[in-house]
Amino acid sequence: MLTGVLAVATTLAAGPVAAAPGEPTDSVSGLLTRLRTLYQETERATEAYNAADEALKKQTADTRRTDAELTTARQALARGRDEAGRLARQQYQGRSELSPYLGLLLAPDPRRALDQEHLLARAARERAGVVTRLQAAEKKADALATASRKALDQRKALLAGRQKQKDTVRTKLREVERLLASLTADQLARLASLEKAQTAGAQNQLLGSGALDGPRTPSEDGAEALRFAVRQIGKPYEWGAEGPETYDCSGLTQRAWAAAGRELPRTSQEQWAELPRVPLDRLRPGDLVVYFPEATHVALYLGDGLVVHAPRPGARVKVSPIAANPLLGAVRPDPDGGALKTFTPPELPPGATDGADEGYGGTGPADGAPPAGTGA
């Protein structure tokens, strides 16, 4: 039954996938379909950028670690060469193990002869140890130098990939801006009305199924994640952002659960792929609700059929109906956490549900700008 409910909710939340036969593409339905498509493409590109950025961060850390190990290895190699040079000079000056050996043959005192034999053996071990350490140091330094060059090449490739994804996001955002700028106030109002009606239909279908019925309490960590997310309500959406002043969808869910002491993957696709799935009839506050077939959007379940999320460019962190977007499923960041016996949901600030989830307010420069620290 839940599979059927999910399919219905997905279909209704998604709205028409194309304009009806004979319907002009500039109709309200056609415009809504086009706008949704652009937003989904933007979100897909944003998550691809996030994945590339995360890979670049890891590669940069690996490169720094390899370079530090290479520096240490080269210092050890230099010390080994100095030590080998010292032994070579001793041998050249007649103070090698040959000298004690001759002394052993000519020594009149047996005890002295034994001492000389001990010195001979120690000198031989020392020389062998120096040679062994030098060879090992040379081998390690060569291997690390190769690894360092490889890491640098990988970092350059990741930088290029991240720039490509950044350019894709900017291109999609410009398409959204052009479409929104071309609409009249009446068209925008009708778009918002149609979106609201379709969301209400999907929400009623889902709630009417009974899938979300019954008392739902979060785990202790889930409650903390929710409290964090609610405190972010009203902050702008910004692609690639992880807080504290702006967020994209997966940046918000990651930071909310980090506040509860749980480290989540950076992107919505990774969160969907790596975290344990949970059916809707077991969904509890704090769980993550994932949307669209490619898992390109994610929100935190608040309870009572509502979610907290960073919707789209032009919008702000807000509370929305769970069926505001096409449902893919849900995951639980803390499957080992038991549900609290009682739970008082965090108080929502005024205007927590205001604004269209589609971001009809437009995408100004702040929303389309690259994340802080990523460069132009």
Side-chain angles (χ1 to χ4, degrees), residues 76 190 199 254 286 303 374:
R190 291 166 65 195
T199 296
Q254 184 190 47
T374 62

Side-chain angles (χ1 to χ4, degrees), residues 180-200:
L180 289 172
S182 70
L183 302 180
T184 65
D186 179 64
Q187 286 175 314
L188 288 172
R190 291 166 65 195
L191 278 175
S193 178
L194 179 59
E195 169 69 14
K196 184 177 180 180
Q198 291 184 349
T199 296

Side-chain angles (χ1 to χ4, degrees), residues 253-255 257-266 271 274-275 333:
T253 55
Q254 184 190 47
R255 291 304 177 193
W257 274 93
R262 300 267 180 166
E263 292 300 321
L264 302 190
R266 173 61 180 93
Q271 291 171 9
E274 298 180 22
L275 299 178

Side-chain angles (χ1 to χ4, degrees), residues 226-249:
L226 267 182
R227 284 190 286 267
F228 178 92
V230 168
R231 289 197 297 270
Q232 312 315 306
I233 289 175
K235 293 184 178 180
Y237 176 103
E238 181 181 347
W239 66 272
E242 305 171 52
E245 298 304 324
T246 58
Y247 294 92
D248 64 17
C249 66

